[in-house]
Amino acid sequence: MNKGSKGKKASQDSSVHDRSIHEKESSDLPLRLKSAIGDEPVAAFARRAGVSESVMRAYLSGEKRPGLDNLRGIANAAGLSIDYLVTGRSAPLKSDEAGGNKAEDTVAPYVAANDFVYLPLHRNVSASAGNGSIVWDEHDVDYLAFQSTFIRQELRANPKSLRLVRISGDSMERLLYSGDMVMVDTSITTLQAEGMYVFRIDDSISVKWLNAMPGGVIRVASENAAKYPPYEITREQADDHRFQIIGLVRWWAHTQR
């Protein structure tokens, strides 16, 4: 997510210095702010927005209304448009704002509005050659809306950790096909239980079933086992950073063909 404006003290309340939002326009602003912050601690969100925690709580309670400076910082931190925060009438996703970054420059991994969460759909994710870091394509991305109750209650996931990606290849056929979409929980980067994971080996990224075996061995299995037999990753391979779990697959969907 974008960081809040810099060069000013976090404790400064810009509403003292800037023109305040009209009272009628901002009557539902606290609700939109609460939705934007979601499960993130208020103090952490306030720091990213460049606002003190006490001031942010005053905005959330409706005791104060943010001025333009603080509103811009809040919109940047939330990945939302200023107009949406003020009026609730425009599209929630952030576009060009004066003094802000373009939406395609920094993609927020989580955007909330009303009863929905907007998850980024990345058209490409790859392993960076050499250092094994994961590269999410932040310039070719779209958003899909999910009901927040489905994410939190049915999937029991934090939407801020979720990303959507499309798979390729036929190794998971009969369950997943090339072009299908999976929801990856990037907060889970260790093998906690048998399940479907997105992971990296060297500079290759795969979606497979993973299962922990005795001796620290990880068994890797494809749905299309006749063509792609199971194999094992040893503890040594996992420990030398050749292997990295990117996240647990929480949900998937087929693409109409």
Side-chain angles (χ1 to χ4, degrees):
M1 293 186 181
N2 294 334
K3 294 183 177 179
S5 55
K6 299 180 180 179
K8 64 176 183 179
K9 294 182 179 179
S11 61
Q12 181 178 343
D13 178 6
S14 64
S15 63
V16 174
H17 306 282
D18 296 331
R19 179 175 58 85
S20 295
I21 303 168
H22 191 278
E23 184 173 358
K24 183 177 180 180
E25 290 178 325
S26 62
S27 59
D28 291 328
L29 177 61
L31 294 178
R32 289 189 287 275
L33 284 178
K34 291 175 184 177
S35 180
I37 293 173
D39 295 330
E40 183 176 1
V42 174
F45 182 87
R47 282 194 299 271
R48 293 193 300 104
V51 181
S52 73
E53 180 182 357
S54 61
V55 168
M56 181 62 68
R57 291 190 182 279
Y59 295 159
L60 290 170
S61 68
E63 180 184 348
K64 291 184 179 181
R65 297 190 297 274
L68 296 181
D69 240 13
N70 281 359
L71 187 64
R72 184 178 294 117
I74 292 168
N76 285 343
L80 300 175
S81 69
I82 290 178
D83 187 53
Y84 171 77
L85 282 176
V86 174
T87 68
R89 293 191 297 267
S90 65
L93 299 185
K94 188 174 181 292
S95 59
D96 274 332
E97 302 284 7
N101 297 326
K102 294 182 179 179
E104 63 267 25
D105 290 341
T106 304
V107 176
Y110 160 82
V111 177
N114 299 325
D115 293 327
F116 292 90
V117 291
Y118 293 78
L119 303 182
L121 169 59
H122 297 270
R123 304 191 187 281
N124 183 44
V125 56
S126 59
S128 177
N131 62 12
S133 61
I134 305 304
V135 179
W136 299 92
D137 191 337
E138 306 287 16
H139 298 281
D140 191 8
V141 68
D142 201 353
Y143 283 89
L144 293 182
F146 292 79
Q147 284 190 317
S148 60
T149 52
F150 170 72
I151 296 295
R152 293 190 172 92
Q153 296 178 17
E154 298 296 325
L155 300 183
R156 298 184 181 278
N158 184 342
K160 295 182 182 181
S161 303
L162 301 178
R163 294 175 182 262
L164 302 167
V165 294
R166 295 198 183 277
I167 67 168
S168 61
D170 61 353
S171 68
M172 295 297 284
E173 282 191 357
R174 291 190 305 175
L175 180 65
L176 296 173
Y177 294 83
S178 188
D180 286 350
M181 181 170 53
V182 295
M183 180 188 295
V184 186
D185 187 342
T186 60
S187 70
I188 299 176
T189 56
T190 59
L191 183 53
Q192 300 178 349
E194 182 179 5
M196 188 188 302
Y197 292 81
V198 178
F199 61 94
R200 172 187 67 82
I201 297 182
D202 293 327
D203 297 327
S204 176
I205 291 180
S206 302
V207 180
K208 309 278 189 186
W209 295 106
L210 298 183
N211 188 20
M213 307 294 287
V217 173
I218 298 175
R219 186 176 186 270
V220 182
S222 301
E223 194 71 20
N224 189 357
K227 186 175 181 180
Y228 300 92
Y231 61 92
E232 294 181 347
I233 298 172
T234 66
R235 182 193 295 272
E236 290 72 22
Q237 288 175 315
D239 289 344
D240 70 4
H241 305 294
R242 289 184 57 200
F243 171 79
Q244 176 187 1
I245 292 178
I246 299 172
L248 173 69
V249 175
R250 291 280 192 180
W251 173 92
W252 60 81
H254 295 299
T255 301
Q256 185 175 3
R257 281 174 288 274

